[in-house]
PDB file of all heavy atoms in Angstrom:
ATOM      1  N   GLN A  34       3.722   7.957   6.495  1.00  0.00           N
ATOM      2  CA  GLN A  34       4.711   7.032   6.977  1.00  0.00           C
ATOM      3  C   GLN A  34       5.309   7.514   8.283  1.00  0.00           C
ATOM      4  O   GLN A  34       5.518   6.732   9.216  1.00  0.00           O
ATOM      5  CB  GLN A  34       5.814   6.849   5.935  1.00  0.00           C
ATOM      6  CG  GLN A  34       5.402   6.071   4.714  1.00  0.00           C
ATOM      7  CD  GLN A  34       6.435   6.028   3.615  1.00  0.00           C
ATOM      8  OE1 GLN A  34       7.516   6.642   3.768  1.00  0.00           O
ATOM      9  NE2 GLN A  34       6.127   5.381   2.553  1.00  0.00           N
ATOM     10  N   VAL A  36       3.908   9.569  10.557  1.00  0.00           N
ATOM     11  CA  VAL A  36       2.926   9.482  11.615  1.00  0.00           C
ATOM     12  C   VAL A  36       2.727   8.034  12.044  1.00  0.00           C
ATOM     13  O   VAL A  36       2.722   7.739  13.265  1.00  0.00           O
ATOM     14  CB  VAL A  36       1.591  10.143  11.170  1.00  0.00           C
ATOM     15  CG1 VAL A  36       0.444   9.785  12.089  1.00  0.00           C
ATOM     16  CG2 VAL A  36       1.732  11.675  11.048  1.00  0.00           C
ATOM     17  N   LEU A  37       2.636   7.149  11.128  1.00  0.00           N
ATOM     18  CA  LEU A  37       2.462   5.712  11.446  1.00  0.00           C
ATOM     19  C   LEU A  37       3.683   5.192  12.200  1.00  0.00           C
ATOM     20  O   LEU A  37       3.555   4.477  13.194  1.00  0.00           O
ATOM     21  CB  LEU A  37       2.222   4.904  10.185  1.00  0.00           C
ATOM     22  CG  LEU A  37       1.866   3.437  10.392  1.00  0.00           C
ATOM     23  CD1 LEU A  37       0.644   3.272  11.262  1.00  0.00           C
ATOM     24  CD2 LEU A  37       1.656   2.776   9.038  1.00  0.00           C
ATOM     25  N   ARG A  41       3.721   3.775  16.053  1.00  0.00           N
ATOM     26  CA  ARG A  41       4.290   2.461  16.382  1.00  0.00           C
ATOM     27  C   ARG A  41       5.361   2.592  17.481  1.00  0.00           C
ATOM     28  O   ARG A  41       5.400   1.736  18.390  1.00  0.00           O
ATOM     29  CB  ARG A  41       4.900   1.783  15.136  1.00  0.00           C
ATOM     30  CG  ARG A  41       3.829   1.363  14.112  1.00  0.00           C
ATOM     31  CD  ARG A  41       4.473   0.742  12.877  1.00  0.00           C
ATOM     32  NE  ARG A  41       5.196  -0.452  13.149  1.00  0.00           N
ATOM     33  CZ  ARG A  41       4.653  -1.664  13.348  1.00  0.00           C
ATOM     34  NH1 ARG A  41       3.355  -1.818  13.218  1.00  0.00           N
ATOM     35  NH2 ARG A  41       5.416  -2.717  13.567  1.00  0.00           N
ATOM     36  N   ILE A  43       5.418   4.816  19.860  1.00  0.00           N
ATOM     37  CA  ILE A  43       4.694   5.083  21.092  1.00  0.00           C
ATOM     38  C   ILE A  43       4.136   3.789  21.640  1.00  0.00           C
ATOM     39  O   ILE A  43       4.267   3.512  22.820  1.00  0.00           O
ATOM     40  CB  ILE A  43       3.608   6.149  20.865  1.00  0.00           C
ATOM     41  CG1 ILE A  43       4.204   7.511  20.638  1.00  0.00           C
ATOM     42  CG2 ILE A  43       2.605   6.188  22.073  1.00  0.00           C
ATOM     43  CD1 ILE A  43       3.245   8.587  20.137  1.00  0.00           C
ATOM     44  N   THR A  54      10.304  -1.680  36.336  1.00  0.00           N
ATOM     45  CA  THR A  54       9.909  -0.966  37.545  1.00  0.00           C
ATOM     46  C   THR A  54       8.595  -1.464  38.178  1.00  0.00           C
ATOM     47  O   THR A  54       8.456  -1.442  39.394  1.00  0.00           O
ATOM     48  CB  THR A  54       9.783   0.529  37.291  1.00  0.00           C
ATOM     49  OG1 THR A  54       8.807   0.741  36.264  1.00  0.00           O
ATOM     50  CG2 THR A  54      11.100   1.138  36.845  1.00  0.00           C
ATOM     51  N   LEU A  58       2.108  -4.119  36.385  1.00  0.00           N
ATOM     52  CA  LEU A  58       1.527  -3.276  35.319  1.00  0.00           C
ATOM     53  C   LEU A  58       2.012  -3.752  33.959  1.00  0.00           C
ATOM     54  O   LEU A  58       1.274  -3.739  32.986  1.00  0.00           O
ATOM     55  CB  LEU A  58       1.887  -1.829  35.536  1.00  0.00           C
ATOM     56  CG  LEU A  58       1.244  -1.168  36.753  1.00  0.00           C
ATOM     57  CD1 LEU A  58       1.767   0.254  36.903  1.00  0.00           C
ATOM     58  CD2 LEU A  58      -0.252  -1.196  36.659  1.00  0.00           C
ATOM     59  N   ASP A  62      -0.271  -5.065  30.731  1.00  0.00           N
ATOM     60  CA  ASP A  62      -0.115  -4.640  29.368  1.00  0.00           C
ATOM     61  C   ASP A  62       0.109  -5.836  28.421  1.00  0.00           C
ATOM     62  O   ASP A  62      -0.388  -5.883  27.317  1.00  0.00           O
ATOM     63  CB  ASP A  62       1.048  -3.623  29.205  1.00  0.00           C
ATOM     64  CG  ASP A  62       0.672  -2.261  29.759  1.00  0.00           C
ATOM     65  OD1 ASP A  62      -0.535  -2.014  29.994  1.00  0.00           O
ATOM     66  OD2 ASP A  62       1.559  -1.430  29.981  1.00  0.00           O
ATOM     67  N   GLU A  64      -1.098  -8.767  28.863  1.00  0.00           N
ATOM     68  CA  GLU A  64      -2.371  -9.406  28.716  1.00  0.00           C
ATOM     69  C   GLU A  64      -3.218  -8.669  27.642  1.00  0.00           C
ATOM     70  O   GLU A  64      -3.909  -9.292  26.879  1.00  0.00           O
ATOM     71  CB  GLU A  64      -3.144  -9.424  30.040  1.00  0.00           C
ATOM     72  CG  GLU A  64      -2.525 -10.381  31.057  1.00  0.00           C
ATOM     73  CD  GLU A  64      -3.088 -10.202  32.488  1.00  0.00           C
ATOM     74  OE1 GLU A  64      -4.111  -9.536  32.657  1.00  0.00           O
ATOM     75  OE2 GLU A  64      -2.499 -10.823  33.390  1.00  0.00           O
ATOM     76  N   LYS A  65      -3.117  -7.337  27.636  1.00  0.00           N
ATOM     77  CA  LYS A  65      -3.813  -6.556  26.643  1.00  0.00           C
ATOM     78  C   LYS A  65      -3.307  -6.929  25.245  1.00  0.00           C
ATOM     79  O   LYS A  65      -4.069  -7.119  24.315  1.00  0.00           O
ATOM     80  CB  LYS A  65      -3.625  -5.076  26.842  1.00  0.00           C
ATOM     81  CG  LYS A  65      -4.433  -4.446  27.922  1.00  0.00           C
ATOM     82  CD  LYS A  65      -4.169  -2.946  27.912  1.00  0.00           C
ATOM     83  CE  LYS A  65      -4.984  -2.208  28.889  1.00  0.00           C
ATOM     84  NZ  LYS A  65      -4.738  -0.737  28.855  1.00  0.00           N
ATOM     85  N   LEU A  66      -1.981  -7.054  25.136  1.00  0.00           N
ATOM     86  CA  LEU A  66      -1.371  -7.395  23.837  1.00  0.00           C
ATOM     87  C   LEU A  66      -1.879  -8.749  23.340  1.00  0.00           C
ATOM     88  O   LEU A  66      -2.153  -8.954  22.186  1.00  0.00           O
ATOM     89  CB  LEU A  66       0.153  -7.402  23.935  1.00  0.00           C
ATOM     90  CG  LEU A  66       0.823  -6.064  24.138  1.00  0.00           C
ATOM     91  CD1 LEU A  66       2.287  -6.240  24.473  1.00  0.00           C
ATOM     92  CD2 LEU A  66       0.669  -5.189  22.886  1.00  0.00           C
ATOM     93  N   GLY A  69      -5.184  -8.557  21.593  1.00  0.00           N
ATOM     94  CA  GLY A  69      -5.198  -7.936  20.279  1.00  0.00           C
ATOM     95  C   GLY A  69      -5.273  -6.464  20.274  1.00  0.00           C
ATOM     96  O   GLY A  69      -5.311  -5.781  21.295  1.00  0.00           O
ATOM     97  N   GLY A  79      -1.352   5.944  21.118  1.00  0.00           N
ATOM     98  CA  GLY A  79      -0.877   7.313  21.111  1.00  0.00           C
ATOM     99  C   GLY A  79      -2.019   8.266  20.894  1.00  0.00           C
ATOM    100  O   GLY A  79      -3.029   7.982  20.319  1.00  0.00           O
ATOM    101  N   LEU A 102      -5.245   7.121   7.373  1.00  0.00           N
ATOM    102  CA  LEU A 102      -4.706   5.812   7.698  1.00  0.00           C
ATOM    103  C   LEU A 102      -5.788   4.856   8.171  1.00  0.00           C
ATOM    104  O   LEU A 102      -5.739   3.655   7.884  1.00  0.00           O
ATOM    105  CB  LEU A 102      -3.582   5.942   8.752  1.00  0.00           C
ATOM    106  CG  LEU A 102      -2.302   6.650   8.313  1.00  0.00           C
ATOM    107  CD1 LEU A 102      -1.394   6.899   9.513  1.00  0.00           C
ATOM    108  CD2 LEU A 102      -1.578   5.847   7.249  1.00  0.00           C
ATOM    109  N   TYR A 114     -16.034   5.028  24.519  1.00  0.00           N
ATOM    110  CA  TYR A 114     -16.956   6.010  25.119  1.00  0.00           C
ATOM    111  C   TYR A 114     -17.274   7.077  24.094  1.00  0.00           C
ATOM    112  O   TYR A 114     -16.806   8.209  24.191  1.00  0.00           O
ATOM    113  CB  TYR A 114     -16.322   6.647  26.349  1.00  0.00           C
ATOM    114  CG  TYR A 114     -15.919   5.636  27.411  1.00  0.00           C
ATOM    115  CD1 TYR A 114     -14.601   5.266  27.518  1.00  0.00           C
ATOM    116  CD2 TYR A 114     -16.870   5.050  28.227  1.00  0.00           C
ATOM    117  CE1 TYR A 114     -14.216   4.339  28.493  1.00  0.00           C
ATOM    118  CE2 TYR A 114     -16.499   4.110  29.186  1.00  0.00           C
ATOM    119  CZ  TYR A 114     -15.166   3.767  29.319  1.00  0.00           C
ATOM    120  OH  TYR A 114     -14.805   2.840  30.215  1.00  0.00           O
ATOM    121  N   TYR A 117     -18.316  10.723  25.226  1.00  0.00           N
ATOM    122  CA  TYR A 117     -17.399  11.454  26.097  1.00  0.00           C
ATOM    123  C   TYR A 117     -16.443  12.278  25.241  1.00  0.00           C
ATOM    124  O   TYR A 117     -15.734  11.766  24.404  1.00  0.00           O
ATOM    125  CB  TYR A 117     -16.615  10.452  26.980  1.00  0.00           C
ATOM    126  CG  TYR A 117     -15.797  11.122  28.056  1.00  0.00           C
ATOM    127  CD1 TYR A 117     -16.362  11.939  28.987  1.00  0.00           C
ATOM    128  CD2 TYR A 117     -14.448  10.874  28.140  1.00  0.00           C
ATOM    129  CE1 TYR A 117     -15.614  12.504  29.999  1.00  0.00           C
ATOM    130  CE2 TYR A 117     -13.659  11.431  29.119  1.00  0.00           C
ATOM    131  CZ  TYR A 117     -14.261  12.252  30.041  1.00  0.00           C
ATOM    132  OH  TYR A 117     -13.488  12.820  31.030  1.00  0.00           O
ATOM    133  N   ARG A 119     -13.321  13.910  24.684  1.00  0.00           N
ATOM    134  CA  ARG A 119     -11.924  13.955  25.111  1.00  0.00           C
ATOM    135  C   ARG A 119     -11.042  13.457  24.014  1.00  0.00           C
ATOM    136  O   ARG A 119     -11.500  12.963  22.979  1.00  0.00           O
ATOM    137  CB  ARG A 119     -11.728  13.123  26.379  1.00  0.00           C
ATOM    138  CG  ARG A 119     -12.076  11.671  26.149  1.00  0.00           C
ATOM    139  CD  ARG A 119     -11.669  10.833  27.291  1.00  0.00           C
ATOM    140  NE  ARG A 119     -12.324   9.571  27.317  1.00  0.00           N
ATOM    141  CZ  ARG A 119     -12.142   8.590  26.405  1.00  0.00           C
ATOM    142  NH1 ARG A 119     -11.371   8.741  25.393  1.00  0.00           N
ATOM    143  NH2 ARG A 119     -12.776   7.445  26.514  1.00  0.00           N
ATOM    144  N   ALA A 120      -9.764  13.556  24.231  1.00  0.00           N
ATOM    145  CA  ALA A 120      -8.818  13.072  23.251  1.00  0.00           C
ATOM    146  C   ALA A 120      -8.990  11.569  23.059  1.00  0.00           C
ATOM    147  O   ALA A 120      -9.298  10.849  24.019  1.00  0.00           O
ATOM    148  CB  ALA A 120      -7.390  13.372  23.692  1.00  0.00           C
ATOM    149  N   TRP A 123      -5.040   6.233  19.468  1.00  0.00           N
ATOM    150  CA  TRP A 123      -4.932   5.590  18.163  1.00  0.00           C
ATOM    151  C   TRP A 123      -3.894   4.450  18.325  1.00  0.00           C
ATOM    152  O   TRP A 123      -3.019   4.520  19.104  1.00  0.00           O
ATOM    153  CB  TRP A 123      -4.428   6.566  17.123  1.00  0.00           C
ATOM    154  CG  TRP A 123      -5.455   7.659  16.836  1.00  0.00           C
ATOM    155  CD1 TRP A 123      -5.598   8.823  17.555  1.00  0.00           C
ATOM    156  CD2 TRP A 123      -6.398   7.670  15.804  1.00  0.00           C
ATOM    157  NE1 TRP A 123      -6.603   9.556  17.009  1.00  0.00           N
ATOM    158  CE2 TRP A 123      -7.121   8.878  15.914  1.00  0.00           C
ATOM    159  CE3 TRP A 123      -6.751   6.812  14.773  1.00  0.00           C
ATOM    160  CZ2 TRP A 123      -8.154   9.245  15.076  1.00  0.00           C
ATOM    161  CZ3 TRP A 123      -7.762   7.173  13.918  1.00  0.00           C
ATOM    162  CH2 TRP A 123      -8.452   8.361  14.075  1.00  0.00           C
ATOM    163  N   VAL A 126      -2.731  -1.080  13.459  1.00  0.00           N
ATOM    164  CA  VAL A 126      -3.287  -2.439  13.285  1.00  0.00           C
ATOM    165  C   VAL A 126      -2.133  -3.418  13.144  1.00  0.00           C
ATOM    166  O   VAL A 126      -1.155  -3.201  12.381  1.00  0.00           O
ATOM    167  CB  VAL A 126      -4.192  -2.476  12.026  1.00  0.00           C
ATOM    168  CG1 VAL A 126      -4.584  -3.903  11.695  1.00  0.00           C
ATOM    169  CG2 VAL A 126      -5.404  -1.605  12.258  1.00  0.00           C
ATOM    170  N   ALA A 138       9.100 -13.808  23.427  1.00  0.00           N
ATOM    171  CA  ALA A 138      10.427 -14.287  23.111  1.00  0.00           C
ATOM    172  C   ALA A 138      11.423 -13.705  24.128  1.00  0.00           C
ATOM    173  O   ALA A 138      12.320 -14.442  24.575  1.00  0.00           O
ATOM    174  CB  ALA A 138      10.800 -13.881  21.703  1.00  0.00           C
TER     175      ALA A 138
END
Side-chain angles (χ1 to χ4, degrees):
Q34 290 174 358
V36 167
L37 186 57
R41 290 178 63 81
I43 290 168
T54 59
L58 293 175
D62 286 345
E64 290 170 11
K65 283 184 177 182
L66 291 169
L102 291 171
Y114 304 101
Y117 188 57
R119 59 170 163 67
W123 294 85
V126 170

